[in-house]
Amino acid sequence: MSTLATIFIIAFLIFFHELGHLLASWSVGIPVERFSVGFGPVLFKRRKSGVEYCLSLIPLGGYVLPRCASEEEFAQIPALRRIVMWLGGPLANFVLAAALLAMLNVISGGFSLNAVLLKPWLQVAQQSAQFVAALPTIFMHLDQLSGIIGIVAAGNSFVGGGIVATLRFAVLLNLNLAIFNLLPMSPLDGGKILCCLLEKLHPGLARLQTGFAIAGLAVLLVLMAYTTVIDVMRQFA
């Protein structure tokens, strides 16, 4: 039961991240063709108001596909509008983390305007700064990394600890998802933003985007495979 609850929490946070991209796209007038939670074969889809909403087989991410005939057409969209679209996902996770922290503040100390409106954002800033400060240490000790199996295993212990522990797990995962996606590596949001900024500095740099994206994707796939092996070894240790 805890495993199902943990998987549901992870899927919901991914959904909220992609919803942020969708709303940000609409806010700057970028039309959207597809909104998908998950990758791979489509399990369920429904088209509404011109957007195809999909639930796909592999629940390890998601994507928002702009309605553009080609990469060249998408590149013609002003850089600021594309950056707003890419920032929408991480921003949505920060907002959700603040909302969850507000719930935790009310549970632990009762309702007040400070507990609901101000303190959560200070907590988001503090916890985000701690995570960013720890990033170099994390990548220097790769044996401490966890993939989806490790995250689910850790989530099970949180979910089994009750509502407060579950909310804390959701906050932690939310902030990790937001900050990880802001890393300057394609195909993450931060990598796409970096490529967009380089393109503005010199149009010729736009030709590097494909190679940058392929290299980044290769690194992420290797990292995913490595953390999966590490997670499995930990489970049987």
Side-chain angles (χ1 to χ4, degrees), residues 64-193:
V64 170
L65 180 66
R67 187 179 298 125
C68 296
S70 63
E71 287 289 336
E72 290 74 19
E73 181 180 336
F74 180 68
Q76 296 305 310
I77 298 174
L80 180 59
R81 291 166 63 189
R82 284 180 280 155
I83 289 174
V84 169
M85 181 188 77
W86 289 320
L87 284 175
L91 179 59
N93 287 123
F94 284 127
V95 170
L96 181 56
L100 296 173
L101 284 166
M103 294 173 61
L104 280 169
N105 293 339
V106 171
I107 292 172
S108 62
F111 177 84
S112 71
L113 291 179
N114 178 58
V116 173
L117 299 179
L118 178 59
K119 187 177 178 181
W121 290 107
L122 296 176
Q123 292 170 309
V124 165
Q126 181 183 36
Q127 294 186 32
S128 296
Q130 291 172 347
F131 181 75
V132 171
L135 276 176
T137 304
I138 293 173
F139 285 103
M140 286 168 49
H141 300 280
L142 295 179
D143 58 314
Q144 297 178 7
L145 290 174
S146 288
I148 187 64
I149 295 174
I151 292 172
V152 171
N156 289 345
S157 62
F158 278 97
V159 171
I163 184 63
V164 170
T166 300
L167 289 174
R168 287 175 178 162
F169 169 70
V171 169
L172 180 63
L173 202 56
N174 241 314
L175 295 178
N176 286 356
L177 182 60
I179 295 170
F180 179 74
N181 270 279
L182 288 174
L183 293 178
M185 180 196 311
S186 284
L188 302 177
D189 298 321
K192 294 174 182 176
I193 292 170

Side-chain angles (χ1 to χ4, degrees), residues 1-11 13-14 59-60 145-161 166 169-170 172-173 176 227-228 231-232 234-235:
M1 189 65 180
S2 294
T3 299
L4 290 177
T6 301
I7 292 173
F8 175 81
I9 291 171
I10 294 171
L13 300 187
I14 293 172
L60 299 180
L145 290 174
S146 288
I148 187 64
I149 295 174
I151 292 172
V152 171
N156 289 345
S157 62
F158 278 97
V159 171
T166 300
F169 169 70
L172 180 63
L173 202 56
N176 286 356
T227 54
T228 299
D231 286 342
V232 171
R234 286 190 189 124
Q235 296 304 309

Side-chain angles (χ1 to χ4, degrees), residues 14-28 30-39 50-54 56 61-68 71 74 77 82 84-90 92 181 187 189 192:
I14 293 172
F15 163 78
F16 209 82
H17 180 93
E18 298 306 327
L19 180 62
H21 284 308
L22 180 67
L23 296 178
S25 299
W26 286 345
S27 73
V28 293
I30 298 178
V32 173
E33 174 62 27
R34 174 179 286 185
F35 172 90
S36 177
V37 175
F39 296 105
V51 180
E52 186 178 63
Y53 297 92
C54 302
S56 299
Y63 61 92
V64 170
L65 180 66
R67 187 179 298 125
C68 296
E71 287 289 336
F74 180 68
I77 298 174
R82 284 180 280 155
V84 169
M85 181 188 77
W86 289 320
L87 284 175
N181 270 279
D189 298 321
K192 294 174 182 176

